[in-house]
Amino acid sequence: MEFVDMVQEFAQDPDELRRLGDVNRADGAAAYARAEGDPEWEAEFEARYGKAANAYRVLAGQYIIERGIGYTKVGDDRNATGDGLTTAASAFETTDADGAAQVRRTIPEA
């Protein structure tokens, strides 16, 4: 692979970065929804499975709590990734505009 090919593959489009940021934030919202669990299932647990199944429910309670913490972390990470992509898009545009201004200042006729 030539160096020129590598540079072409690295080219970033700020609009694409913003789109990917939005996708990551949407995935974060889905993770937050999963972190909430299934309140309907929990409310109907005894009616569906009986009082004897409550022993399982008590043991599974810690798993449910840890699962919620895990999905919340995933949501936080996805939101942070989305924010980072949006910030990167703005930084690319700012750097591009600053670079263009630097070039114009070095050419007396420009």
Side-chain angles (χ1 to χ4, degrees):
M1 178 181 282
E2 294 180 18
F3 178 73
V4 174
D5 290 335
M6 290 173 30
V7 171
Q8 289 173 350
E9 289 177 16
F10 181 71
Q12 298 292 326
D13 178 19
D15 292 333
E16 177 65 8
L17 290 175
R18 286 188 184 93
R19 186 191 70 75
L20 290 172
D22 292 341
V23 167
N24 274 278
R25 282 187 285 276
D27 288 346
Y32 289 133
R34 291 194 72 174
E36 293 177 13
D38 188 356
E40 184 178 315
W41 178 82
E42 292 175 24
E44 297 175 359
F45 186 85
E46 190 173 308
R48 283 186 179 183
Y49 305 108
K51 291 187 183 290
N54 276 332
Y56 166 77
R57 184 178 181 186
V58 169
L59 294 174
Q62 186 60 36
Y63 168 77
I64 292 169
I65 291 168
E66 294 296 328
R67 185 189 69 153
I69 291 169
Y71 274 117
T72 299
K73 172 95 172 82
V74 168
D76 292 345
D77 290 348
R78 295 305 289 246
N79 281 337
T81 300
D83 293 344
L85 286 165
T86 301
T87 301
S90 297
F92 279 149
E93 289 176 333
T94 300
T95 302
D96 190 37
D98 289 346
Q102 291 283 347
V103 169
R104 282 193 293 276
R105 284 193 289 270
T106 60
I107 303 172
E109 304 84 40

